[in-house]
Amino acid sequence: MENDFSKIVDEVLVDEETLEKRVNELGRDITKCYEDVEEPVLLVGILRGAAIFMSNLAVNINKPVLIDFMAVSSYGQSSESSGVVRIMKDLEETIEGKHVLIVEDIIDTGLTLSYIRQNMIDRGAKSVRIATLLDKPERRKVEVPVDFVGFRIPDEFVIGYGLDYAQNYRNLPYIASLRREVYEK
Ligand code: IMP
Ligand code: MG
């Protein structure tokens, strides 16, 4: 069957209920962190992986925010980071003088977030913080200060809730590891 995910899912690492609860908590933590900031915080979602997390996070932040997206590429179709980061779609808003919260799906080597963070600082953001749904700390190549982490996960390739394998499986409602047969064939 076309929509039978059991063929590609190895193990469910974070189920729907746990995701919902944690995203709600992150929203509360973020609200608290910016409670003394008068102006709206600019959420910068990194396409396409962060789209689902970003939407659910935004509605759990209890203060005015602005929403923008950018797309970068570092992976292509492979599952290994090349270390080369390119901006494929830039922000619509100027960020000078704004409080920026970068919203990412996963931090793996740290190369992508390290680049984006520096890029936001260089463009004159008033502050730059990072929220990531997932963190694979074992894989880190460069240190990046991450302010909000949903879940730390082991070094496995994961899909769902926005995360893809070769652009597929982003609409799984949970986070799952991918069966080895899928990426080794
Ligand atoms: P980094 O630059 O190595 O930290 O890579 C971060 C990017 O790699 C993320 O934004 C994802 O797009 C992708 N990525 C890393 N690990 C995974 C994974 O397990 N599943 C899906 N995408 C991943
Ligand atoms: Mg990504």
Side-chain angles (χ1 to χ4, degrees):
M1 232 195 323
E2 192 72 343
N3 61 354
D4 183 359
F5 288 122
S6 65
K7 285 201 184 66
I8 52 110
V9 166
D10 182 21
E11 192 191 337
V12 175
L13 298 181
V14 191
D15 65 29
E16 284 180 71
E17 199 189 321
T18 312
L19 274 169
E20 192 187 327
K21 196 166 156 265
R22 186 70 187 124
V23 173
N24 189 288
E25 284 170 3
L26 289 174
R28 253 186 293 153
D29 293 349
I30 290 166
T31 306
K32 188 151 202 325
C33 174
Y34 290 102
E35 70 189 350
D36 296 331
V37 172
E38 302 245 320
E39 61 269 40
V41 173
L42 175 63
L43 305 183
V44 171
I46 310 305
L47 293 172
R48 289 166 255 178
I52 294 176
F53 174 46
M54 170 86 152
S55 310
N56 292 322
L57 184 64
V59 295
N60 278 290
I61 297 174
N62 191 21
K63 71 174 269 111
V65 298
L66 299 171
I67 287 180
D68 206 347
F69 290 96
M70 77 191 275
V72 298
S73 105
S74 61
Y75 268 27
Q77 294 291 97
S78 119
S79 63
E80 271 300 306
S81 182
S82 62
V84 180
V85 178
R86 264 197 309 156
I87 296 181
M88 310 299 284
K89 181 215 169 288
D90 207 350
L91 301 169
E92 309 284 334
E93 307 285 330
T94 59
I95 59 175
E96 200 181 335
K98 293 201 177 100
H99 291 280
V100 171
L101 178 64
I102 301 168
V103 180
E104 177 59 307
D105 54 358
I106 186 166
I107 177 165
D108 187 26
T109 62
L111 291 163
T112 307
L113 275 176
S114 158
Y115 173 85
I116 294 171
R117 180 175 174 275
Q118 192 55 52
N119 186 273
M120 300 291 116
I121 294 168
D122 293 346
R123 293 199 224 178
K126 203 175 204 174
S127 70
V128 180
R129 290 193 174 85
I130 295 175
T132 184
L133 178 65
L134 303 173
D135 180 11
K136 279 195 234 177
E138 288 165 53
R139 298 254 311 164
R140 202 74 86 254
K141 284 186 186 154
V142 287
E143 278 316 310
V144 190
V146 181
D147 302 273
F148 307 96
V149 176
F151 303 92
R152 297 208 160 76
I153 59 164
D155 179 13
E156 281 181 82
F157 197 84
V158 294
I159 49 170
Y161 203 74
L163 290 104
D164 72 304
Y165 172 67
Q167 300 307 331
N168 288 295
Y169 319 127
R170 293 191 195 273
N171 66 318
L172 279 181
Y174 45 80
I175 302 286
S177 55
L178 189 62
R179 277 185 191 276
R180 276 195 169 276
E181 304 91 270
V182 182
Y183 58 87
E184 278 177 357
K185 78 173 175 215

PDB file of all heavy atoms in Angstrom, residues 107-139:
ATOM      1  N   ILE A 107      19.352  19.785  14.895  1.00  0.00           N
ATOM      2  CA  ILE A 107      20.759  20.159  14.829  1.00  0.00           C
ATOM      3  C   ILE A 107      21.591  18.882  14.890  1.00  0.00           C
ATOM      4  O   ILE A 107      21.441  18.064  15.785  1.00  0.00           O
ATOM      5  CB  ILE A 107      21.161  21.210  15.902  1.00  0.00           C
ATOM      6  CG1 ILE A 107      22.658  21.491  15.833  1.00  0.00           C
ATOM      7  CG2 ILE A 107      20.720  20.821  17.304  1.00  0.00           C
ATOM      8  CD1 ILE A 107      23.092  22.747  16.572  1.00  0.00           C
ATOM      9  N   ASP A 108      22.394  18.729  13.863  1.00  0.00           N
ATOM     10  CA  ASP A 108      23.147  17.501  13.662  1.00  0.00           C
ATOM     11  C   ASP A 108      24.641  17.851  13.805  1.00  0.00           C
ATOM     12  O   ASP A 108      25.154  17.929  14.917  1.00  0.00           O
ATOM     13  CB  ASP A 108      22.762  16.989  12.265  1.00  0.00           C
ATOM     14  CG  ASP A 108      23.320  15.626  11.928  1.00  0.00           C
ATOM     15  OD1 ASP A 108      23.577  14.839  12.835  1.00  0.00           O
ATOM     16  OD2 ASP A 108      23.490  15.342  10.719  1.00  0.00           O
ATOM     17  N   THR A 109      25.334  18.161  12.722  1.00  0.00           N
ATOM     18  CA  THR A 109      26.732  18.595  12.835  1.00  0.00           C
ATOM     19  C   THR A 109      26.823  20.008  13.420  1.00  0.00           C
ATOM     20  O   THR A 109      27.852  20.379  13.988  1.00  0.00           O
ATOM     21  CB  THR A 109      27.420  18.618  11.455  1.00  0.00           C
ATOM     22  OG1 THR A 109      26.752  19.561  10.627  1.00  0.00           O
ATOM     23  CG2 THR A 109      27.403  17.243  10.815  1.00  0.00           C
ATOM     24  N   GLY A 110      25.770  20.798  13.245  1.00  0.00           N
ATOM     25  CA  GLY A 110      25.780  22.188  13.717  1.00  0.00           C
ATOM     26  C   GLY A 110      26.203  23.168  12.626  1.00  0.00           C
ATOM     27  O   GLY A 110      26.131  24.378  12.820  1.00  0.00           O
ATOM     28  N   LEU A 111      26.621  22.670  11.487  1.00  0.00           N
ATOM     29  CA  LEU A 111      27.134  23.526  10.416  1.00  0.00           C
ATOM     30  C   LEU A 111      26.067  24.501   9.902  1.00  0.00           C
ATOM     31  O   LEU A 111      26.336  25.682   9.712  1.00  0.00           O
ATOM     32  CB  LEU A 111      27.668  22.681   9.256  1.00  0.00           C
ATOM     33  CG  LEU A 111      28.953  21.896   9.562  1.00  0.00           C
ATOM     34  CD1 LEU A 111      29.182  20.788   8.543  1.00  0.00           C
ATOM     35  CD2 LEU A 111      30.160  22.828   9.606  1.00  0.00           C
ATOM     36  N   THR A 112      24.867  23.991   9.697  1.00  0.00           N
ATOM     37  CA  THR A 112      23.792  24.836   9.167  1.00  0.00           C
ATOM     38  C   THR A 112      23.455  25.965  10.143  1.00  0.00           C
ATOM     39  O   THR A 112      23.440  27.140   9.770  1.00  0.00           O
ATOM     40  CB  THR A 112      22.519  23.997   8.896  1.00  0.00           C
ATOM     41  OG1 THR A 112      22.874  22.884   8.078  1.00  0.00           O
ATOM     42  CG2 THR A 112      21.441  24.814   8.224  1.00  0.00           C
ATOM     43  N   LEU A 113      23.192  25.608  11.392  1.00  0.00           N
ATOM     44  CA  LEU A 113      22.784  26.620  12.368  1.00  0.00           C
ATOM     45  C   LEU A 113      23.890  27.602  12.684  1.00  0.00           C
ATOM     46  O   LEU A 113      23.634  28.782  12.918  1.00  0.00           O
ATOM     47  CB  LEU A 113      22.278  25.949  13.646  1.00  0.00           C
ATOM     48  CG  LEU A 113      20.811  25.557  13.593  1.00  0.00           C
ATOM     49  CD1 LEU A 113      20.401  24.810  14.849  1.00  0.00           C
ATOM     50  CD2 LEU A 113      19.931  26.804  13.422  1.00  0.00           C
ATOM     51  N   SER A 114      25.114  27.116  12.673  1.00  0.00           N
ATOM     52  CA  SER A 114      26.231  27.998  12.941  1.00  0.00           C
ATOM     53  C   SER A 114      26.327  29.081  11.863  1.00  0.00           C
ATOM     54  O   SER A 114      26.521  30.265  12.146  1.00  0.00           O
ATOM     55  CB  SER A 114      27.493  27.131  13.018  1.00  0.00           C
ATOM     56  OG  SER A 114      28.612  27.879  12.786  1.00  0.00           O
ATOM     57  N   TYR A 115      26.124  28.658  10.622  1.00  0.00           N
ATOM     58  CA  TYR A 115      26.140  29.598   9.499  1.00  0.00           C
ATOM     59  C   TYR A 115      24.988  30.594   9.606  1.00  0.00           C
ATOM     60  O   TYR A 115      25.173  31.807   9.485  1.00  0.00           O
ATOM     61  CB  TYR A 115      26.056  28.840   8.165  1.00  0.00           C
ATOM     62  CG  TYR A 115      25.893  29.773   6.984  1.00  0.00           C
ATOM     63  CD1 TYR A 115      27.005  30.344   6.390  1.00  0.00           C
ATOM     64  CD2 TYR A 115      24.629  30.100   6.503  1.00  0.00           C
ATOM     65  CE1 TYR A 115      26.853  31.236   5.329  1.00  0.00           C
ATOM     66  CE2 TYR A 115      24.472  30.983   5.450  1.00  0.00           C
ATOM     67  CZ  TYR A 115      25.590  31.540   4.863  1.00  0.00           C
ATOM     68  OH  TYR A 115      25.435  32.418   3.821  1.00  0.00           O
ATOM     69  N   ILE A 116      23.777  30.092   9.828  1.00  0.00           N
ATOM     70  CA  ILE A 116      22.600  30.962   9.863  1.00  0.00           C
ATOM     71  C   ILE A 116      22.680  31.947  11.031  1.00  0.00           C
ATOM     72  O   ILE A 116      22.390  33.134  10.886  1.00  0.00           O
ATOM     73  CB  ILE A 116      21.296  30.133   9.942  1.00  0.00           C
ATOM     74  CG1 ILE A 116      21.117  29.324   8.652  1.00  0.00           C
ATOM     75  CG2 ILE A 116      20.081  31.022  10.175  1.00  0.00           C
ATOM     76  CD1 ILE A 116      19.990  28.309   8.694  1.00  0.00           C
ATOM     77  N   ARG A 117      23.129  31.458  12.153  1.00  0.00           N
ATOM     78  CA  ARG A 117      23.244  32.308  13.341  1.00  0.00           C
ATOM     79  C   ARG A 117      24.196  33.476  13.074  1.00  0.00           C
ATOM     80  O   ARG A 117      23.869  34.630  13.337  1.00  0.00           O
ATOM     81  CB  ARG A 117      23.731  31.461  14.515  1.00  0.00           C
ATOM     82  CG  ARG A 117      23.880  32.227  15.792  1.00  0.00           C
ATOM     83  CD  ARG A 117      24.254  31.314  16.956  1.00  0.00           C
ATOM     84  NE  ARG A 117      24.508  32.126  18.115  1.00  0.00           N
ATOM     85  CZ  ARG A 117      25.675  32.703  18.372  1.00  0.00           C
ATOM     86  NH1 ARG A 117      26.696  32.496  17.570  1.00  0.00           N
ATOM     87  NH2 ARG A 117      25.827  33.466  19.432  1.00  0.00           N
ATOM     88  N   GLN A 118      25.363  33.165  12.526  1.00  0.00           N
ATOM     89  CA  GLN A 118      26.340  34.213  12.224  1.00  0.00           C
ATOM     90  C   GLN A 118      25.782  35.198  11.196  1.00  0.00           C
ATOM     91  O   GLN A 118      25.987  36.400  11.298  1.00  0.00           O
ATOM     92  CB  GLN A 118      27.656  33.585  11.734  1.00  0.00           C
ATOM     93  CG  GLN A 118      28.820  34.574  11.670  1.00  0.00           C
ATOM     94  CD  GLN A 118      29.061  35.299  13.003  1.00  0.00           C
ATOM     95  OE1 GLN A 118      29.182  34.656  14.055  1.00  0.00           O
ATOM     96  NE2 GLN A 118      29.098  36.635  12.977  1.00  0.00           N
ATOM     97  N   ASN A 119      25.056  34.657  10.229  1.00  0.00           N
ATOM     98  CA  ASN A 119      24.444  35.473   9.198  1.00  0.00           C
ATOM     99  C   ASN A 119      23.446  36.491   9.795  1.00  0.00           C
ATOM    100  O   ASN A 119      23.423  37.659   9.415  1.00  0.00           O
ATOM    101  CB  ASN A 119      23.756  34.529   8.195  1.00  0.00           C
ATOM    102  CG  ASN A 119      23.205  35.250   6.990  1.00  0.00           C
ATOM    103  OD1 ASN A 119      22.076  35.721   7.031  1.00  0.00           O
ATOM    104  ND2 ASN A 119      24.001  35.352   5.927  1.00  0.00           N
ATOM    105  N   MET A 120      22.661  36.053  10.780  1.00  0.00           N
ATOM    106  CA  MET A 120      21.688  36.936  11.453  1.00  0.00           C
ATOM    107  C   MET A 120      22.414  38.021  12.265  1.00  0.00           C
ATOM    108  O   MET A 120      21.993  39.174  12.291  1.00  0.00           O
ATOM    109  CB  MET A 120      20.783  36.144  12.403  1.00  0.00           C
ATOM    110  CG  MET A 120      19.955  35.054  11.778  1.00  0.00           C
ATOM    111  SD  MET A 120      18.657  35.637  10.698  1.00  0.00           S
ATOM    112  CE  MET A 120      19.210  34.947   9.175  1.00  0.00           C
ATOM    113  N   ILE A 121      23.496  37.625  12.911  1.00  0.00           N
ATOM    114  CA  ILE A 121      24.288  38.585  13.699  1.00  0.00           C
ATOM    115  C   ILE A 121      24.900  39.629  12.763  1.00  0.00           C
ATOM    116  O   ILE A 121      24.816  40.830  13.015  1.00  0.00           O
ATOM    117  CB  ILE A 121      25.392  37.858  14.504  1.00  0.00           C
ATOM    118  CG1 ILE A 121      24.767  36.958  15.578  1.00  0.00           C
ATOM    119  CG2 ILE A 121      26.372  38.857  15.132  1.00  0.00           C
ATOM    120  CD1 ILE A 121      25.725  35.982  16.242  1.00  0.00           C
ATOM    121  N   ASP A 122      25.471  39.155  11.656  1.00  0.00           N
ATOM    122  CA  ASP A 122      26.096  40.060  10.682  1.00  0.00           C
ATOM    123  C   ASP A 122      25.093  41.065  10.106  1.00  0.00           C
ATOM    124  O   ASP A 122      25.459  42.168   9.728  1.00  0.00           O
ATOM    125  CB  ASP A 122      26.717  39.271   9.516  1.00  0.00           C
ATOM    126  CG  ASP A 122      27.900  38.419   9.957  1.00  0.00           C
ATOM    127  OD1 ASP A 122      28.404  38.642  11.079  1.00  0.00           O
ATOM    128  OD2 ASP A 122      28.311  37.521   9.192  1.00  0.00           O
ATOM    129  N   ARG A 123      23.824  40.657  10.010  1.00  0.00           N
ATOM    130  CA  ARG A 123      22.817  41.567   9.458  1.00  0.00           C
ATOM    131  C   ARG A 123      22.238  42.506  10.509  1.00  0.00           C
ATOM    132  O   ARG A 123      21.265  43.216  10.252  1.00  0.00           O
ATOM    133  CB  ARG A 123      21.670  40.755   8.843  1.00  0.00           C
ATOM    134  CG  ARG A 123      22.093  39.972   7.618  1.00  0.00           C
ATOM    135  CD  ARG A 123      20.863  39.600   6.823  1.00  0.00           C
ATOM    136  NE  ARG A 123      20.900  38.231   6.374  1.00  0.00           N
ATOM    137  CZ  ARG A 123      19.901  37.666   5.681  1.00  0.00           C
ATOM    138  NH1 ARG A 123      18.815  38.338   5.408  1.00  0.00           N
ATOM    139  NH2 ARG A 123      20.001  36.409   5.286  1.00  0.00           N
ATOM    140  N   GLY A 124      22.789  42.463  11.709  1.00  0.00           N
ATOM    141  CA  GLY A 124      22.431  43.456  12.718  1.00  0.00           C
ATOM    142  C   GLY A 124      21.234  43.134  13.595  1.00  0.00           C
ATOM    143  O   GLY A 124      20.596  44.048  14.134  1.00  0.00           O
ATOM    144  N   ALA A 125      20.924  41.850  13.758  1.00  0.00           N
ATOM    145  CA  ALA A 125      19.846  41.484  14.685  1.00  0.00           C
ATOM    146  C   ALA A 125      20.210  41.970  16.086  1.00  0.00           C
ATOM    147  O   ALA A 125      21.378  41.999  16.467  1.00  0.00           O
ATOM    148  CB  ALA A 125      19.650  39.971  14.685  1.00  0.00           C
ATOM    149  N   LYS A 126      19.196  42.361  16.848  1.00  0.00           N
ATOM    150  CA  LYS A 126      19.412  42.849  18.214  1.00  0.00           C
ATOM    151  C   LYS A 126      19.789  41.685  19.127  1.00  0.00           C
ATOM    152  O   LYS A 126      20.609  41.826  20.035  1.00  0.00           O
ATOM    153  CB  LYS A 126      18.120  43.501  18.698  1.00  0.00           C
ATOM    154  CG  LYS A 126      18.295  44.514  19.805  1.00  0.00           C
ATOM    155  CD  LYS A 126      16.931  45.145  20.068  1.00  0.00           C
ATOM    156  CE  LYS A 126      17.024  46.499  20.695  1.00  0.00           C
ATOM    157  NZ  LYS A 126      15.676  47.101  20.783  1.00  0.00           N
ATOM    158  N   SER A 127      19.147  40.543  18.908  1.00  0.00           N
ATOM    159  CA  SER A 127      19.533  39.330  19.622  1.00  0.00           C
ATOM    160  C   SER A 127      19.224  38.152  18.705  1.00  0.00           C
ATOM    161  O   SER A 127      18.363  38.251  17.827  1.00  0.00           O
ATOM    162  CB  SER A 127      18.759  39.189  20.942  1.00  0.00           C
ATOM    163  OG  SER A 127      17.397  38.897  20.691  1.00  0.00           O
ATOM    164  N   VAL A 128      19.972  37.070  18.884  1.00  0.00           N
ATOM    165  CA  VAL A 128      19.725  35.864  18.094  1.00  0.00           C
ATOM    166  C   VAL A 128      19.683  34.669  19.037  1.00  0.00           C
ATOM    167  O   VAL A 128      20.640  34.408  19.759  1.00  0.00           O
ATOM    168  CB  VAL A 128      20.827  35.630  17.029  1.00  0.00           C
ATOM    169  CG1 VAL A 128      20.528  34.363  16.226  1.00  0.00           C
ATOM    170  CG2 VAL A 128      20.964  36.816  16.092  1.00  0.00           C
ATOM    171  N   ARG A 129      18.559  33.983  19.034  1.00  0.00           N
ATOM    172  CA  ARG A 129      18.443  32.748  19.808  1.00  0.00           C
ATOM    173  C   ARG A 129      18.030  31.623  18.863  1.00  0.00           C
ATOM    174  O   ARG A 129      17.575  31.867  17.753  1.00  0.00           O
ATOM    175  CB  ARG A 129      17.446  32.899  20.955  1.00  0.00           C
ATOM    176  CG  ARG A 129      17.937  33.814  22.060  1.00  0.00           C
ATOM    177  CD  ARG A 129      17.080  33.694  23.318  1.00  0.00           C
ATOM    178  NE  ARG A 129      17.638  34.467  24.410  1.00  0.00           N
ATOM    179  CZ  ARG A 129      17.423  35.772  24.612  1.00  0.00           C
ATOM    180  NH1 ARG A 129      16.630  36.451  23.790  1.00  0.00           N
ATOM    181  NH2 ARG A 129      17.975  36.403  25.634  1.00  0.00           N
ATOM    182  N   ILE A 130      18.179  30.393  19.355  1.00  0.00           N
ATOM    183  CA  ILE A 130      17.875  29.228  18.520  1.00  0.00           C
ATOM    184  C   ILE A 130      16.935  28.279  19.254  1.00  0.00           C
ATOM    185  O   ILE A 130      17.152  27.964  20.427  1.00  0.00           O
ATOM    186  CB  ILE A 130      19.168  28.472  18.144  1.00  0.00           C
ATOM    187  CG1 ILE A 130      20.065  29.348  17.250  1.00  0.00           C
ATOM    188  CG2 ILE A 130      18.853  27.139  17.443  1.00  0.00           C
ATOM    189  CD1 ILE A 130      21.418  28.738  16.910  1.00  0.00           C
ATOM    190  N   ALA A 131      15.886  27.840  18.537  1.00  0.00           N
ATOM    191  CA  ALA A 131      15.012  26.774  19.046  1.00  0.00           C
ATOM    192  C   ALA A 131      15.071  25.628  18.044  1.00  0.00           C
ATOM    193  O   ALA A 131      14.840  25.828  16.852  1.00  0.00           O
ATOM    194  CB  ALA A 131      13.576  27.268  19.174  1.00  0.00           C
ATOM    195  N   THR A 132      15.401  24.450  18.520  1.00  0.00           N
ATOM    196  CA  THR A 132      15.404  23.293  17.632  1.00  0.00           C
ATOM    197  C   THR A 132      14.529  22.194  18.228  1.00  0.00           C
ATOM    198  O   THR A 132      14.529  21.981  19.440  1.00  0.00           O
ATOM    199  CB  THR A 132      16.841  22.777  17.370  1.00  0.00           C
ATOM    200  OG1 THR A 132      16.780  21.700  16.410  1.00  0.00           O
ATOM    201  CG2 THR A 132      17.516  22.250  18.623  1.00  0.00           C
ATOM    202  N   LEU A 133      13.777  21.536  17.363  1.00  0.00           N
ATOM    203  CA  LEU A 133      12.923  20.459  17.862  1.00  0.00           C
ATOM    204  C   LEU A 133      13.771  19.287  18.342  1.00  0.00           C
ATOM    205  O   LEU A 133      13.541  18.739  19.401  1.00  0.00           O
ATOM    206  CB  LEU A 133      11.969  19.988  16.755  1.00  0.00           C
ATOM    207  CG  LEU A 133      11.058  18.821  17.141  1.00  0.00           C
ATOM    208  CD1 LEU A 133      10.085  19.218  18.249  1.00  0.00           C
ATOM    209  CD2 LEU A 133      10.299  18.300  15.918  1.00  0.00           C
ATOM    210  N   LEU A 134      14.782  18.936  17.537  1.00  0.00           N
ATOM    211  CA  LEU A 134      15.602  17.763  17.857  1.00  0.00           C
ATOM    212  C   LEU A 134      17.077  18.131  17.904  1.00  0.00           C
ATOM    213  O   LEU A 134      17.521  19.055  17.225  1.00  0.00           O
ATOM    214  CB  LEU A 134      15.396  16.680  16.788  1.00  0.00           C
ATOM    215  CG  LEU A 134      13.966  16.198  16.546  1.00  0.00           C
ATOM    216  CD1 LEU A 134      13.919  15.257  15.351  1.00  0.00           C
ATOM    217  CD2 LEU A 134      13.404  15.507  17.788  1.00  0.00           C
ATOM    218  N   ASP A 135      17.813  17.376  18.680  1.00  0.00           N
ATOM    219  CA  ASP A 135      19.257  17.574  18.791  1.00  0.00           C
ATOM    220  C   ASP A 135      19.937  16.207  18.802  1.00  0.00           C
ATOM    221  O   ASP A 135      19.557  15.327  19.567  1.00  0.00           O
ATOM    222  CB  ASP A 135      19.555  18.327  20.104  1.00  0.00           C
ATOM    223  CG  ASP A 135      21.049  18.584  20.307  1.00  0.00           C
ATOM    224  OD1 ASP A 135      21.838  18.378  19.366  1.00  0.00           O
ATOM    225  OD2 ASP A 135      21.423  19.002  21.424  1.00  0.00           O
ATOM    226  N   LYS A 136      20.919  16.048  17.898  1.00  0.00           N
ATOM    227  CA  LYS A 136      21.750  14.834  17.900  1.00  0.00           C
ATOM    228  C   LYS A 136      23.148  15.238  18.373  1.00  0.00           C
ATOM    229  O   LYS A 136      24.029  15.497  17.546  1.00  0.00           O
ATOM    230  CB  LYS A 136      21.866  14.283  16.468  1.00  0.00           C
ATOM    231  CG  LYS A 136      20.701  13.466  15.993  1.00  0.00           C
ATOM    232  CD  LYS A 136      21.111  12.695  14.734  1.00  0.00           C
ATOM    233  CE  LYS A 136      20.174  12.940  13.594  1.00  0.00           C
ATOM    234  NZ  LYS A 136      20.568  12.276  12.339  1.00  0.00           N
ATOM    235  N   PRO A 137      23.359  15.347  19.678  1.00  0.00           N
ATOM    236  CA  PRO A 137      24.622  15.911  20.190  1.00  0.00           C
ATOM    237  C   PRO A 137      25.868  15.117  19.794  1.00  0.00           C
ATOM    238  O   PRO A 137      26.936  15.707  19.613  1.00  0.00           O
ATOM    239  CB  PRO A 137      24.432  15.906  21.717  1.00  0.00           C
ATOM    240  CG  PRO A 137      23.225  15.098  21.998  1.00  0.00           C
ATOM    241  CD  PRO A 137      22.420  15.004  20.760  1.00  0.00           C
ATOM    242  N   GLU A 138      25.723  13.817  19.615  1.00  0.00           N
ATOM    243  CA  GLU A 138      26.888  12.981  19.262  1.00  0.00           C
ATOM    244  C   GLU A 138      27.533  13.359  17.941  1.00  0.00           C
ATOM    245  O   GLU A 138      28.683  13.019  17.675  1.00  0.00           O
ATOM    246  CB  GLU A 138      26.463  11.510  19.122  1.00  0.00           C
ATOM    247  CG  GLU A 138      26.142  10.809  20.409  1.00  0.00           C
ATOM    248  CD  GLU A 138      25.382   9.512  20.118  1.00  0.00           C
ATOM    249  OE1 GLU A 138      25.865   8.688  19.320  1.00  0.00           O
ATOM    250  OE2 GLU A 138      24.281   9.343  20.684  1.00  0.00           O
ATOM    251  N   ARG A 139      26.760  14.017  17.088  1.00  0.00           N
ATOM    252  CA  ARG A 139      27.221  14.283  15.731  1.00  0.00           C
ATOM    253  C   ARG A 139      27.854  15.663  15.550  1.00  0.00           C
ATOM    254  O   ARG A 139      28.285  16.013  14.454  1.00  0.00           O
ATOM    255  CB  ARG A 139      26.027  14.171  14.786  1.00  0.00           C
ATOM    256  CG  ARG A 139      25.419  12.789  14.761  1.00  0.00           C
ATOM    257  CD  ARG A 139      25.769  12.076  13.513  1.00  0.00           C
ATOM    258  NE  ARG A 139      25.513  12.909  12.357  1.00  0.00           N
ATOM    259  CZ  ARG A 139      26.008  12.673  11.151  1.00  0.00           C
ATOM    260  NH1 ARG A 139      26.793  11.635  10.955  1.00  0.00           N
ATOM    261  NH2 ARG A 139      25.727  13.478  10.138  1.00  0.00           N
TER     262      ARG A 139
END
